[in-house]
C-alpha cells in the first residue's frame, strides 16, 4: 500500500484472505512498474472480455505488450478468474524477465510433497520463485501450486521481490 503497488478493496479494508484475480494481478505488476503511460500505444484490445475503460484496462494492455501476462489464446483474458500460485509465479517470472533481472536462481521443488502438481509450463517460474525465497511452502509443507493466490500472499511475495531485486 505504501508504495502504491496494492490498494484496498474499499471501505478501508485490505481483505488479506481475498483472492487475486487476473485483472488484479496485472494491475499489481502495472503499479509496480509505476503505471507507465501507454497512451501512445496502439491499444487495440484483442480480448473480447476486457473493456478498455475498466480500472484494469491499461494494465491488461501493458501486461500483453510486455509479456507479463497474456490471454487464453481463444480471444479472452478472463479478468475475473482467480490466479493460482503457479500462475502468479509465472507472471512474476515474466515481469523479472521483462526487467532484465537475474533468472538463474532455482529451488529444489522436489522437497515439496505436492511438487508433481506443478504444471510443466510453470516449473521454471516456480523453481526460480522458490530459489529466491519468494514462494515457499505453507505451514503444512505443501507448495500448493494450484491453490488460489490470496491478497496477503501476493503482498508478501511482492515485498520480498522488491527487497531482493528493486532495493
Amino acid at each position: 500500500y505504501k508504495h502504491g503497488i496494492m490498494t484496498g478493496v474499499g471501505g478501508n479494508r485490505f481483505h488479506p484472505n481475498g483472492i487475486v484475480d487476473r485483472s488484479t494481478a496485472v494491475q499489481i505488476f502495472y503499479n509496480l512498474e509505476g503505471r507507465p503511460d501507454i497512451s501512445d500505444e496502439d491499444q487495440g484490445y484483442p480480448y473480447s472480455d476486457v473493456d478498455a475503460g475498466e480500472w484494469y484496462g491499461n494494465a491488461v494492455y501493458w501486461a500483453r505488450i510486455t509479456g507479463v501476462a497474456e490471454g487464453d489464446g481463444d480471444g479472452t483474458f478472463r479478468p475475473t478468474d482467480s490466479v493460482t500460485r503457479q500462475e502468479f509465479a509465472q507472471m512474476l517470472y515474466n515481469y523479472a524477465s521483462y526487467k532484465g533481472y537475474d533468472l538463474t536462481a532455482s529451488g529444489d521443488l522436489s522437497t515439496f510433497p505436492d511438487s508433481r502438481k506443478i504444471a510443466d509450463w510453470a516449473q521454471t517460474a516456480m523453481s526460480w520463485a522458490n530459489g529466491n525465497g519468494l514462494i515457499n511452502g505453507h505451514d503444512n509443507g505443501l507448495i500448493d501450486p494450484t491453490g488460489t493466490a490470496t491478497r496477503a500472499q501476493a503482498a508478501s511475495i511482492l515485498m520480498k521481490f522488491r527487497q531482493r531485486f528493486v532495493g
Side-chain angles (χ1 to χ4, degrees):
Y1 180 81
K2 178 181 173 184
H3 295 284
I5 299 168
M6 292 181 75
T7 61
V9 295
N12 293 324
R13 296 182 23 226
F14 185 75
H15 197 47
N17 294 320
I19 65 160
V20 175
D21 61 21
R22 290 176 52 83
S23 60
T24 300
V26 295
Q27 186 67 50
I28 288 169
F29 291 107
Y30 183 62
N31 293 346
L32 184 60
E33 188 61 15
R35 300 175 59 102
D37 179 12
I38 59 171
S39 61
D40 289 339
E41 298 287 340
D42 174 13
Q43 296 186 25
Y45 283 84
Y47 306 122
S48 61
D49 58 348
V50 174
D51 177 353
E54 286 290 331
W55 60 268
Y56 56 82
N58 283 345
V60 170
Y61 183 77
W62 171 85
R64 183 177 67 85
I65 63 175
T66 60
V68 170
E70 297 179 355
D72 238 7
D74 65 354
T76 63
F77 186 77
R78 302 179 347 265
T80 60
D81 283 8
S82 61
V83 172
T84 64
R85 288 165 53 87
Q86 66 186 356
E87 288 171 327
F88 196 79
Q90 187 65 57
M91 289 181 192
L92 188 62
Y93 182 84
N94 293 348
Y95 179 75
S97 176
Y98 162 72
K99 295 296 287 181
Y101 295 148
D102 182 5
L103 301 176
T104 59
S106 64
D108 182 4
L109 298 176
S110 69
T111 63
F112 299 99
D114 61 340
S115 63
R116 64 190 174 285
K117 291 183 179 180
I118 301 171
D120 290 342
W121 54 264
Q123 287 285 332
T124 300
M126 286 291 285
S127 177
W128 171 82
N130 180 252
N132 279 300
L134 306 175
I135 295 180
N136 299 302
H138 295 302
D139 289 341
N140 64 5
L142 301 177
I143 196 154
D144 194 20
T146 59
T148 303
T150 67
R151 291 175 52 82
Q153 290 169 348
S156 176
I157 291 165
L158 290 168
M159 180 192 71
K160 293 173 192 171
F161 180 81
R162 281 184 50 92
Q163 290 170 343
R164 173 91 170 95
F165 291 100
V166 181

